Amino acid sequence: MILSCPSCTTRYSVDDFTLGDGGRRVRCASCGHTWHVAPGGGEAAPQAAAEKPAKTETLKPVPKEPAQAYRAKVEARRRRRYLMMGAGAWSGIAAALIVMLGAAWIFRLDVVRAWPQTASAYAMVGSNANAYGLSIEGVAAERVLVEDQPVLEVEGTLRNIDRRNRDMPFVRFALQDAEGEEFFAWTVAPERENLDPGERVAVVTQLVNPPERAANVALTLADAPIEIADPDVTVEAPQEGGSDEGAETELAQGGEAG
């Protein structure tokens, strides 16, 4: 017979003989409600149930109809399919992002050459990519005396970090005070006009009678030379011939140079 829970209407299938002659107390597996079922499926009066306590039996829900079971399986398959489609889409997006990031790193010099403003973004992740395809390395500065005149000697090396030949820009030297404020700058043209991939060229300059407040010197690259307006300062041509973000070094005190 089919029983229905008086509390939640969940339906159960029960064999008649399990109820016995006096009925049986049953419990709904869904909501926990208990009631006494008389023979034939009717609900016994509370007094009759109290006169003869019986063991409470937890009912098992009626199995789903074939159509309901089929619909449940179809819905489960549909949910799994949507989940798999979503996972595949996110995997594709992640793979595309990895490829794009890899290409942006491998061709970073070409990217910066096309969009110079991206150089700062590459600098944030530790790359010296710049529009010139060059790095500035080995910067050193020293104060010396040459024929009783104070002279600031600065040197560095340019290296081609690109995959192709690069023309040489001007090297910009800038003096900074103890607070890092720039107050004087000049440019030097390297002896080499261009560099092949991996090649290096040294750049050396001397600044006669440098300002006393100079504490640091920073090197960057420039497209055009700078006209020096200070008549008390003289820049000598480089004696022999790294990156757009430049290099910086503190000034060192030296002895007399001959």
Side-chain angles (χ1 to χ4, degrees):
M1 72 176 64
I2 300 298
L3 297 181
S4 180
C5 174
S7 177
C8 66
T9 70
T10 302
R11 300 174 67 215
Y12 300 92
S13 177
V14 180
D15 292 333
D16 294 345
F17 72 88
T18 61
L19 297 177
D21 296 334
R24 169 166 284 188
R25 188 172 182 80
V26 296
R27 178 185 293 111
C28 176
S30 178
C31 68
H33 177 70
T34 60
W35 76 100
H36 192 274
V37 179
E43 184 173 2
Q47 295 84 354
E51 292 174 359
K52 188 179 180 181
K55 180 181 179 182
T56 301
E57 180 179 352
T58 301
L59 302 177
K60 296 181 180 179
V62 176
K64 294 181 180 179
E65 297 295 333
Q68 292 178 319
Y70 175 75
R71 286 196 295 269
K73 290 181 180 179
V74 171
E75 181 64 21
R77 284 198 298 267
R78 186 179 65 84
R79 286 196 297 267
R80 287 196 298 269
R81 184 168 62 252
Y82 285 160
L83 289 175
M84 292 177 63
M85 290 174 60
W90 282 110
S91 299
I93 293 173
L97 182 60
I98 291 173
V99 171
M100 291 174 60
L101 291 176
W105 181 260
I106 295 173
F107 301 103
R108 57 190 181 277
L109 297 180
D110 301 291
V111 172
V112 173
R113 184 163 53 248
W115 299 285
Q117 63 272 22
T118 59
S120 58
Y122 282 104
M124 293 177 62
V125 295
S127 173
N128 59 1
N130 59 80
Y132 297 99
L134 303 169
S135 68
I136 301 176
E137 304 171 350
V139 178
E142 183 180 18
R143 292 181 183 271
V144 297
L145 287 177
V146 178
E147 297 179 355
D148 296 328
Q149 273 194 319
V151 174
L152 174 63
E153 291 185 346
V154 186
E155 63 180 24
T157 300
L158 297 183
R159 180 169 65 90
N160 185 350
I161 58 175
D162 203 350
R163 302 183 303 277
R164 62 184 181 87
N165 184 280
R166 282 289 193 165
D167 293 333
M168 291 294 96
F170 290 92
V171 180
R172 184 178 185 273
F173 296 79
L175 297 182
Q176 301 172 345
D177 58 23
E179 285 72 37
E181 293 293 329
E182 180 180 311
F183 63 89
F184 182 80
W186 71 100
T187 53
V188 171
E191 284 191 346
R192 296 280 298 275
E193 293 185 355
N194 51 66
L195 289 179
D196 288 329
E199 280 192 321
R200 292 176 168 83
V201 62
V203 180
V204 182
T205 184
Q206 291 184 337
L207 186 68
V208 181
N209 195 26
E212 288 295 331
R213 63 191 180 113
N216 302 293
V217 58
L219 276 65
T220 55
L221 302 176
D223 293 322
I226 296 176
E227 294 294 335
I228 299 178
D230 191 342
D232 296 328
V233 178
T234 303
V235 177
E236 295 187 356
Q239 300 173 359
E240 51 177 288
S243 67
D244 193 30
E245 72 274 7
E248 182 178 313
T249 186
E250 294 184 0
L251 304 185
Q253 298 290 339
E256 184 176 355

